[in-house]
Amino acid sequence: MRIPGLLLMLLFATGAQASAERYIQLSMHMVKILAAAPDGRINSGTGVQLDARHVITNCHVVGRAQNVIVARGSTGVPAQARSVDTRHDLCLLSIAQPMARPVEVSSSRTLKIGDEVHAMGFSGGKALSMSVGKVTALHEMDNAAVIETDAQFQQGASGGALFDSEGRLVGVLTFFIPGMKRHFAVPTEWMQAGLDNAQDVEMPVAATAPPFWAAAEADKPFFLRAIQHENDQEWDRLQAVTQEWVEAEPRNGAAIEAAVRASRLPPR
Protein backbone atom coordinates (compact mmCIF):
# COMPACT_ATOMS: atom_id res chain seq x y z
CA MET A 1 0.00 0.00 0.00
CA ARG A 2 2.95 2.30 0.49
CA ILE A 3 4.36 1.82 -3.00
CA PRO A 4 1.88 4.07 -4.87
CA GLY A 5 2.54 6.85 -2.37
CA LEU A 6 6.27 6.48 -2.81
CA LEU A 7 5.86 6.51 -6.58
CA LEU A 8 3.83 9.73 -6.39
CA MET A 9 6.50 11.31 -4.23
CA LEU A 10 9.18 10.22 -6.70
CA LEU A 11 7.22 11.60 -9.67
CA PHE A 12 6.62 14.89 -7.85
CA ALA A 13 10.30 15.20 -6.95
CA THR A 14 11.34 14.39 -10.52
CA GLY A 15 8.92 16.98 -11.91
CA ALA A 16 10.06 19.62 -9.44
CA GLN A 17 13.70 18.93 -10.32
CA ALA A 18 12.97 19.22 -14.05
CA SER A 19 11.14 22.50 -13.45
CA ALA A 20 14.02 23.86 -11.38
CA GLU A 21 16.52 22.84 -14.05
CA ARG A 22 14.43 24.52 -16.75
CA TYR A 23 14.17 27.69 -14.64
CA ILE A 24 17.95 27.83 -14.22
CA GLN A 25 18.51 27.14 -17.92
CA LEU A 26 16.14 29.84 -19.14
CA SER A 27 17.08 32.41 -16.50
CA MET A 28 20.58 32.59 -17.97
CA HIS A 29 19.17 34.67 -20.85
CA MET A 30 17.30 37.20 -18.71
CA VAL A 31 18.18 40.72 -17.55
CA LYS A 32 16.39 43.44 -15.64
CA ILE A 33 15.76 46.85 -17.22
CA LEU A 34 15.91 49.96 -15.03
CA ALA A 35 14.74 53.14 -16.72
CA ALA A 36 15.15 56.53 -14.99
CA ALA A 37 12.23 58.85 -15.76
CA PRO A 38 12.72 62.65 -15.87
CA ASP A 39 10.92 63.01 -12.51
CA GLY A 40 13.46 60.70 -10.88
CA ARG A 41 11.25 57.63 -10.65
CA ILE A 42 12.69 54.30 -11.74
CA ASN A 43 10.60 52.14 -14.03
CA SER A 44 11.59 48.49 -14.07
CA GLY A 45 10.95 45.79 -16.62
CA THR A 46 12.60 42.81 -18.23
CA GLY A 47 14.90 42.21 -21.16
CA VAL A 48 16.38 39.27 -23.07
CA GLN A 49 20.01 39.01 -24.18
CA LEU A 50 19.93 38.47 -27.95
CA ASP A 51 23.66 38.48 -28.65
CA ALA A 52 26.83 39.77 -27.00
CA ARG A 53 25.88 43.42 -27.57
CA HIS A 54 22.10 43.56 -27.81
CA VAL A 55 19.12 43.24 -25.47
CA ILE A 56 15.47 43.33 -26.53
CA THR A 57 12.67 44.79 -24.40
CA ASN A 58 9.36 46.62 -24.78
CA CYS A 59 9.43 50.30 -25.66
CA HIS A 60 6.86 50.97 -22.95
CA VAL A 61 9.43 49.70 -20.42
CA VAL A 62 11.99 52.25 -21.59
CA GLY A 63 9.34 54.96 -21.80
CA ARG A 64 10.70 58.50 -21.69
CA ALA A 65 13.84 57.53 -19.78
CA GLN A 66 17.01 59.45 -20.45
CA ASN A 67 19.13 56.80 -18.76
CA VAL A 68 18.63 53.03 -18.93
CA ILE A 69 20.53 50.36 -17.04
CA VAL A 70 20.65 46.68 -17.98
CA ALA A 71 21.19 44.72 -14.79
CA ARG A 72 21.74 41.20 -13.62
CA GLY A 73 22.01 40.49 -9.93
CA SER A 74 23.87 43.38 -8.29
CA THR A 75 25.67 44.39 -11.51
CA GLY A 76 24.43 46.80 -14.14
CA VAL A 77 25.71 48.61 -17.24
CA PRO A 78 24.39 51.64 -19.15
CA ALA A 79 22.37 50.91 -22.27
CA GLN A 80 21.93 52.82 -25.53
CA ALA A 81 18.84 52.56 -27.71
CA ARG A 82 19.71 51.11 -31.11
CA SER A 83 16.32 50.74 -32.76
CA VAL A 84 12.82 51.80 -31.78
CA ASP A 85 9.58 50.28 -33.05
CA THR A 86 6.88 51.79 -30.88
CA ARG A 87 4.02 50.40 -32.98
CA HIS A 88 5.19 46.84 -32.30
CA ASP A 89 6.46 47.88 -28.83
CA LEU A 90 10.00 46.60 -29.38
CA CYS A 91 13.15 48.52 -28.44
CA LEU A 92 16.62 47.16 -29.11
CA LEU A 93 19.28 48.22 -26.62
CA SER A 94 23.05 47.94 -26.90
CA ILE A 95 25.44 47.36 -24.00
CA ALA A 96 29.23 47.30 -23.84
CA GLN A 97 29.39 43.78 -22.42
CA PRO A 98 26.94 40.88 -22.21
CA MET A 99 25.03 40.65 -18.95
CA ALA A 100 23.45 37.28 -19.73
CA ARG A 101 23.83 34.36 -22.09
CA PRO A 102 22.64 35.03 -25.68
CA VAL A 103 19.39 33.25 -26.47
CA GLU A 104 18.53 31.04 -29.41
CA VAL A 105 15.71 32.62 -31.41
CA SER A 106 12.94 30.84 -33.27
CA SER A 107 9.90 31.96 -35.25
CA SER A 108 6.29 32.27 -34.12
CA ARG A 109 5.54 30.20 -37.22
CA THR A 110 7.01 27.14 -35.53
CA LEU A 111 4.23 27.20 -32.92
CA LYS A 112 0.81 25.63 -32.97
CA ILE A 113 -2.09 25.90 -30.57
CA GLY A 114 -1.56 23.63 -27.59
CA ASP A 115 2.25 23.81 -27.62
CA GLU A 116 3.90 24.17 -24.23
CA VAL A 117 5.59 27.50 -23.54
CA HIS A 118 7.39 29.16 -20.62
CA ALA A 119 6.90 32.83 -19.73
CA MET A 120 9.77 34.41 -17.80
CA GLY A 121 10.16 37.92 -16.42
CA PHE A 122 10.41 40.05 -13.31
CA SER A 123 6.71 39.92 -12.45
CA GLY A 124 5.88 42.63 -9.95
CA GLY A 125 9.32 44.11 -10.58
CA LYS A 126 10.86 41.77 -8.01
CA ALA A 127 12.25 38.25 -8.37
CA LEU A 128 12.55 36.57 -11.75
CA SER A 129 9.61 34.20 -12.11
CA MET A 130 8.60 31.53 -14.60
CA SER A 131 5.18 30.17 -15.48
CA VAL A 132 4.33 27.23 -17.70
CA GLY A 133 1.37 27.16 -20.05
CA LYS A 134 0.12 26.51 -23.53
CA VAL A 135 -0.28 28.49 -26.72
CA THR A 136 -4.00 29.28 -26.73
CA ALA A 137 -4.18 31.31 -29.97
CA LEU A 138 -2.01 32.67 -32.77
CA HIS A 139 -3.20 36.02 -34.09
CA GLU A 140 -2.02 36.97 -37.59
CA MET A 141 -0.55 40.46 -37.77
CA ASP A 142 2.11 42.08 -39.96
CA ASN A 143 3.49 38.86 -41.46
CA ALA A 144 3.83 37.07 -38.12
CA ALA A 145 1.65 35.82 -35.27
CA VAL A 146 0.99 37.56 -31.98
CA ILE A 147 1.10 34.72 -29.45
CA GLU A 148 -1.65 34.32 -26.88
CA THR A 149 -0.91 32.06 -23.94
CA ASP A 150 -2.27 30.99 -20.58
CA ALA A 151 1.28 31.15 -19.16
CA GLN A 152 0.68 34.08 -16.85
CA PHE A 153 2.86 37.11 -16.13
CA GLN A 154 2.37 40.42 -14.35
CA GLN A 155 3.45 44.02 -14.68
CA GLY A 156 7.24 44.13 -14.50
CA ALA A 157 7.59 41.10 -16.77
CA SER A 158 7.04 43.28 -19.84
CA GLY A 159 9.95 42.78 -22.23
CA GLY A 160 10.49 39.29 -20.88
CA ALA A 161 10.70 36.03 -22.77
CA LEU A 162 8.25 33.49 -24.08
CA PHE A 163 10.21 30.29 -24.67
CA ASP A 164 9.10 27.24 -26.62
CA SER A 165 9.56 23.69 -25.33
CA GLU A 166 13.12 23.66 -26.70
CA GLY A 167 14.10 26.76 -24.76
CA ARG A 168 14.12 29.02 -27.82
CA LEU A 169 12.81 32.60 -27.73
CA VAL A 170 9.58 32.78 -29.77
CA GLY A 171 8.02 35.93 -28.35
CA VAL A 172 8.51 38.96 -26.12
CA LEU A 173 6.03 39.29 -23.23
CA THR A 174 4.14 42.51 -23.82
CA PHE A 175 0.60 42.88 -22.45
CA PHE A 176 -2.32 41.09 -20.82
CA ILE A 177 -6.04 41.59 -20.24
CA PRO A 178 -6.59 41.11 -16.49
CA GLY A 179 -10.33 40.50 -16.62
CA MET A 180 -9.92 37.58 -19.01
CA LYS A 181 -6.50 36.38 -17.84
CA ARG A 182 -5.31 36.48 -21.44
CA HIS A 183 -1.59 37.08 -21.95
CA PHE A 184 0.18 38.10 -25.15
CA ALA A 185 3.72 38.05 -26.56
CA VAL A 186 4.79 39.84 -29.72
CA PRO A 187 6.59 37.62 -32.26
CA THR A 188 10.35 37.46 -32.66
CA GLU A 189 10.02 38.12 -36.40
CA TRP A 190 9.34 41.77 -35.60
CA MET A 191 12.80 42.12 -34.05
CA GLN A 192 14.65 41.46 -37.29
CA ALA A 193 14.21 44.88 -38.88
CA GLY A 194 15.67 46.52 -35.78
CA LEU A 195 18.66 44.20 -35.80
CA ASP A 196 19.23 44.73 -39.52
CA ASN A 197 19.07 48.53 -39.27
CA ALA A 198 20.49 49.14 -35.80
CA GLN A 199 22.01 52.55 -35.16
CA ASP A 200 22.23 54.79 -32.11
CA VAL A 201 18.91 56.41 -31.26
CA GLU A 202 18.74 59.57 -29.18
CA MET A 203 17.21 59.07 -25.75
CA PRO A 204 14.57 59.53 -24.53
CA VAL A 205 13.12 57.57 -27.43
CA ALA A 206 10.47 59.28 -29.51
CA ALA A 207 7.06 57.60 -29.56
CA THR A 208 6.21 57.78 -33.27
CA ALA A 209 3.06 55.70 -32.67
CA PRO A 210 1.36 54.12 -29.67
CA PRO A 211 1.72 50.36 -29.23
CA PHE A 212 -0.86 48.51 -31.32
CA TRP A 213 -2.41 47.08 -28.16
CA ALA A 214 -2.85 50.53 -26.59
CA ALA A 215 -3.86 52.40 -29.75
CA ALA A 216 -7.18 54.05 -30.40
CA GLU A 217 -10.01 51.64 -31.21
CA ALA A 218 -9.83 52.16 -34.97
CA ASP A 219 -6.06 51.55 -35.00
CA LYS A 220 -6.10 48.26 -33.09
CA PRO A 221 -6.00 44.99 -35.04
CA PHE A 222 -9.36 43.29 -35.46
CA PHE A 223 -8.53 40.37 -33.20
CA LEU A 224 -7.74 42.67 -30.30
CA ARG A 225 -10.84 44.80 -30.81
CA ALA A 226 -12.95 41.65 -30.73
CA ILE A 227 -11.25 40.38 -27.56
CA GLN A 228 -11.71 43.72 -25.81
CA HIS A 229 -15.43 43.93 -26.66
CA GLU A 230 -15.88 40.39 -25.41
CA ASN A 231 -14.05 41.26 -22.20
CA ASP A 232 -16.31 44.29 -21.71
CA GLN A 233 -19.41 42.24 -22.65
CA GLU A 234 -20.24 44.72 -25.40
CA TRP A 235 -22.04 42.19 -27.54
CA ASP A 236 -23.44 44.58 -30.16
CA ARG A 237 -20.00 46.10 -30.74
CA LEU A 238 -18.44 42.64 -30.81
CA GLN A 239 -20.84 41.52 -33.54
CA ALA A 240 -20.21 44.71 -35.52
CA VAL A 241 -16.41 44.47 -35.40
CA THR A 242 -16.33 40.78 -36.29
CA GLN A 243 -18.56 41.45 -39.29
CA GLU A 244 -16.22 44.27 -40.34
CA TRP A 245 -13.30 41.88 -39.89
CA VAL A 246 -14.84 39.27 -42.18
CA GLU A 247 -15.58 41.88 -44.83
CA ALA A 248 -11.99 43.16 -44.70
CA GLU A 249 -10.41 39.68 -44.60
CA PRO A 250 -12.93 37.23 -46.10
CA ARG A 251 -10.38 34.36 -46.25
CA ASN A 252 -9.24 34.73 -42.65
CA GLY A 253 -10.42 31.68 -40.73
CA ALA A 254 -10.01 33.44 -37.38
CA ALA A 255 -12.27 36.25 -38.56
CA ILE A 256 -14.97 33.82 -39.68
CA GLU A 257 -14.74 31.87 -36.42
CA ALA A 258 -15.01 35.08 -34.38
CA ALA A 259 -18.02 36.25 -36.37
CA VAL A 260 -19.81 32.93 -35.92
CA ARG A 261 -19.12 33.01 -32.20
CA ALA A 262 -20.29 36.61 -31.90
CA SER A 263 -23.52 35.82 -33.73
CA ARG A 264 -24.40 33.30 -31.02
CA LEU A 265 -23.97 35.76 -28.18
CA PRO A 266 -26.94 37.70 -26.81
CA PRO A 267 -27.22 41.40 -27.67
CA ARG A 268 -26.59 43.70 -24.72
Side-chain angles (χ1 to χ4, degrees), residues 124-175:
K126 298 179 181 179
L128 185 65
S129 62
M130 181 183 77
S131 63
V132 184
K134 304 289 185 182
V135 174
T136 55
L138 295 165
H139 303 285
E140 287 292 323
M141 179 179 170
D142 296 347
N143 301 312
V146 175
I147 306 161
E148 184 176 346
T149 177
D150 58 7
Q152 299 185 24
F153 57 90
Q154 302 173 13
Q155 187 175 4
S158 294
L162 189 71
F163 295 104
D164 66 11
S165 60
E166 301 298 322
R168 300 173 299 188
L169 181 70
V170 289
V172 176
L173 308 183
T174 301
F175 68 102

Side-chain angles (χ1 to χ4, degrees), residues 22 25-27 29-30 48 101-106 116-118 161-170:
R22 178 52 61 94
Q25 174 194 26
L26 299 180
S27 69
H29 308 299
M30 309 304 298
V48 188
R101 182 178 298 171
V103 70
E104 181 180 355
V105 177
S106 187
E116 183 178 274
V117 287
H118 294 74
L162 189 71
F163 295 104
D164 66 11
S165 60
E166 301 298 322
R168 300 173 299 188
L169 181 70
V170 289

Side-chain angles (χ1 to χ4, degrees), residues 247-262:
E247 292 173 356
E249 302 175 20
R251 297 184 179 180
N252 188 322
I256 296 170
E257 181 180 344
V260 170
R261 183 179 178 187

Side-chain angles (χ1 to χ4, degrees), residues 55-85:
V55 167
I56 194 71
T57 190
N58 288 142
C59 290
H60 79 261
V61 169
V62 177
R64 298 293 296 164
Q66 294 179 318
N67 296 290
V68 175
I69 298 294
V70 172
R72 184 173 173 85
S74 60
T75 305
V77 295
Q80 170 66 47
R82 290 284 287 167
S83 75
V84 176
D85 182 355

Side-chain angles (χ1 to χ4, degrees), residues 3 5 42-43 47 49 54 62 82 84 87-88 92 103 124 128 130 136 139 142 145 148 173 196 213 220 226 265 268:
I3 293 177
I42 304 296
N43 183 40
Q49 188 86 44
H54 296 107
V62 177
R82 290 284 287 167
V84 176
R87 168 68 174 165
H88 291 145
L92 184 70
V103 70
L128 185 65
M130 181 183 77
T136 55
H139 303 285
D142 296 347
E148 184 176 346
L173 308 183
D196 291 342
W213 55 270
K220 287 181 180 177
L265 294 171
R268 186 148 183 166

